[in-house]
Amino acid sequence: MPVLIGTSGWQYRDWRDGLYPAGVAQRGWLEHYATQYLTVENNSSFYRLPASGTFEGWRARTPDDFVMAVKASRYLTHVRKLSDPAEPVARFLGAAAGLGPKLGPILLQLPPTLKAEPALLDACLAEFRTARLPAGIGRLRIAVEPRHASWWTEEIQQILAAHDAALCWADRLGRPVTPLWRTAGWGYLRFHEGTADPWPSYGKQALRSWADRVRQAWPGDADVYVYFNNDPGGAAVVNSA
């Protein structure tokens, strides 16, 4: 089972003198990161969608086998709340396509106050599924991270499965905060905050428990993308090693 492990972002100042040696200038951090990891989750795209040329630059600066997962713009998930998705999906993909074959899964993280909207989710996933992409980019992989309990229904599970969209498994304080549904032929897992010292690190037992869950859910050769979002103090770097 190919498990790709990375961090949620790479530009954190308190990672200096940790992941990034003193002699590595900040403008070269992505290149250095890519010598240590095969994948990264790009969170900056949530706050402000970069231009296509920026994505093309990230493609040029990373090795051929590098994969960049990209968090969808908050305009789609938090402003539009998945409604009328055609234009924001097209604009997002028009930029992210600059990564070419290095474009990994796209993460839709929903607002914690957004209650379940099955029809809107279905329509949004359909936009991604039918999007026209440049040559060299295969079928898109979409991961969805709902954060309101109303989403945990059989109907939502079936919609995700129908689109081969992965329910993003998420951990906070060492516990799953989502159902452990397998809705796609691949998986996506995010670690937000552990309980070990120093905060927000994860202890070895917690990580072993998650490794067991992943192995049980995705046997064989399924791809599973794992990202540590517990970045303060370099905890994500330590836990993802």
Side-chain angles (χ1 to χ4, degrees):
M1 175 180 59
V3 177
L4 280 76
I5 299 174
T7 62
S8 298
W10 69 89
Q11 295 185 13
Y12 299 106
R13 292 185 179 180
D14 57 352
W15 290 9
R16 192 189 300 272
D17 299 329
L19 177 62
Y20 303 116
V24 178
Q26 189 170 357
R27 63 179 177 274
W29 282 5
L30 178 59
E31 288 89 338
H32 183 82
Y33 178 97
T35 67
Q36 308 298 311
Y37 294 92
L38 292 175
T39 188
V40 71
E41 181 187 80
N42 190 328
N43 279 339
S44 65
S45 53
F46 171 77
Y47 300 100
R48 183 177 181 180
L49 181 62
S52 178
T54 301
F55 283 102
E56 291 170 1
W58 289 328
R59 174 184 179 181
R61 292 164 55 193
T62 51
D64 290 344
D65 58 352
F66 193 77
V67 176
M68 182 177 286
V70 184
K71 192 173 181 180
S73 169
R74 62 182 175 180
Y75 180 67
L76 171 63
T77 57
H78 287 56
V79 177
R80 289 279 184 96
K81 295 182 172 62
L82 303 181
S83 64
D84 301 319
E87 187 276 332
V89 168
R91 179 150 48 94
F92 174 83
L93 292 177
L99 285 169
K102 297 180 185 179
L103 177 61
I106 294 167
L107 173 66
L108 303 181
Q109 187 189 55
L110 305 184
T113 56
L114 182 61
K115 295 182 180 180
E117 293 280 1
L120 293 183
L121 176 64
D122 186 44
C124 184
L125 292 175
E127 284 293 334
F128 280 106
R129 192 173 183 181
T130 59
R132 292 186 176 182
L133 298 170
I137 299 179
R139 181 178 177 182
L140 289 176
R141 287 178 165 178
I142 309 298
V144 184
E145 186 178 9
R147 291 185 290 169
H148 191 280
S150 61
W151 291 89
W152 313 139
T153 67
E154 184 177 352
E155 182 180 14
I156 296 298
Q157 185 177 9
Q158 291 175 349
I159 290 171
L160 292 170
H163 293 281
D164 196 37
L167 173 68
C168 173
W169 289 9
D171 172 287
R172 189 172 295 279
L173 300 176
R175 290 173 168 266
V177 294
T178 60
L180 299 182
W181 297 338
R182 176 177 171 170
T183 60
W186 57 282
Y188 201 99
L189 169 60
R190 304 183 85 210
F191 289 98
H192 290 295
E193 179 185 6
T195 60
D197 187 42
W199 176 89
S201 300
Y202 283 87
K204 292 182 179 180
Q205 183 55 50
L207 295 178
R208 279 196 293 267
S209 295
W210 275 109
D212 290 341
R213 293 182 182 114
V214 168
R215 280 193 293 267
Q216 291 170 11
W218 287 283
D221 59 355
D223 294 331
V224 181
Y225 301 85
V226 178
Y227 298 104
F228 285 84
N229 192 35
N230 57 329
D231 59 87
V237 175
V238 174
N239 291 150
S240 58

